[in-house]
Amino acid sequence: MDSTSLALLERIFLTVFPLTAIVSVGFFYAKARHTDMAIANRINIDVFCPALIFSVMSAKSFDLPTYSNLAIGALIVVLGSGLLIWPLCRFLGVQVKTFLPPMMFNNSGNLGIPLLVLAFGEQALPAAVVLFLVENLLHFTVGIYMLDHRTNPFNVLRMPMIIATIAGLLVSSFDWTLPGAVQVPIDMLGQIAIPLMLFALGVRMTSVDFSNWKIGLWGSLLAPVSGIIMALALQPILQLEPIQFSYLLMFGALPPAVLNYMMAERYNQEPQQVASIVLLGNISSLVVIPVALAFALQVS
């Protein structure tokens, strides 16, 4: 094996192992002790993630037009994955409202942000946050509408993450500088978000339900395959820079978001089937992510 291949393998290992290690800590801790992450997850969504988003968006180095095509690509990957898989729902014998959301809305938060930062460095954080925001915005509008047509999509404007996005963009656009006494605590709160996401993912994996393993396996295959197909198909049109194309590829390869299970439970949309799809998808990502990363690193 030549030095280039060894360097690539080392980079993949140094990217995937820290993620796996933190997820494993959450998994084994929850196995040893009953762990209820509901409050911690709510605080993460309402406080730590908005702080991280604000820190990134308000930074002087953040230039929104730089990521406009990447954001468009993410939007089309999410919606296009659903369109690709929609005809297969009848073949698989599963309800569209059960199967499509986990195929469309991926784990861009718990896994996507730390994955891109570890693989491509801190310079990837703004792009990772943009991808996360696009996916979340679609999940809380299109995704909820898929489960309940009576929902009001404008409720998304009250989400702390969206408010933090708007506030951060205003600060960046007007070239404002916050006092250190304000900025430093916000940055510190934001630094909690990523490791807590990974730990929470590990805790969630203790509740894997294998009773619907067949549909779970189909989901673990189709989610990354459809996302990668969409990213590859978009590149000739969007003409993304190689590094941004790598980000989009990794975004497409991500497994289903854990939030899909929470939504299915809330709207009583076969939550046990969705749990199998989500959790088996995240387990299979231990194989999918290194393979996709090897390709993405060569592209970049």
Side-chain angles (χ1 to χ4, degrees), residues 219-237:
S220 68
L221 172 67
L222 291 173
V225 167
S226 62
I228 291 171
I229 287 173
M230 288 305 304
L232 290 170
L234 282 172
Q235 178 58 4
I237 301 168

Side-chain angles (χ1 to χ4, degrees), residues 58-130:
S58 62
K60 299 289 184 252
S61 59
F62 184 78
D63 180 30
L64 184 60
T66 302
Y67 303 101
S68 57
N69 279 356
L70 181 64
I72 292 169
L75 185 146
I76 298 174
V77 165
V78 171
L79 299 179
S81 296
L83 291 175
L84 275 180
I85 295 174
W86 193 346
L88 296 177
C89 291
R90 178 174 292 183
F91 167 75
L92 295 173
V94 64
Q95 289 187 41
V96 170
K97 290 197 294 185
T98 299
F99 197 64
L100 277 195
M103 299 299 96
M104 296 168 63
F105 307 112
N106 62 31
N107 207 343
S108 58
N110 295 59
L111 192 57
I113 293 176
L115 174 64
L116 290 185
V117 171
L118 284 171
F120 301 100
E122 283 294 326
Q123 69 270 17
L125 182 57
V129 168
V130 167

Side-chain angles (χ1 to χ4, degrees), residues 124-191:
L125 182 57
V129 168
V130 167
L131 293 169
F132 172 58
L133 284 170
V134 170
E135 186 273 329
N136 257 270
L137 187 61
L138 289 171
H139 204 162
F140 282 100
T141 51
V142 177
I144 292 179
Y145 183 78
M146 289 169 68
L147 296 174
D148 181 7
H149 292 344
R150 296 168 298 178
T151 190
N152 181 1
F154 291 104
N155 286 338
V156 73
L157 295 174
R158 300 192 312 208
M159 289 174 55
M161 287 187 289
I162 301 303
I163 295 170
T165 301
I166 296 169
L169 289 174
L170 284 173
V171 170
S172 178
S173 299
F174 288 99
D175 203 25
W176 294 334
T177 301
L178 294 181
V182 176
Q183 188 67 56
V184 172
I186 293 175
D187 292 343
M188 291 176 70
L189 287 171
Q191 289 166 9

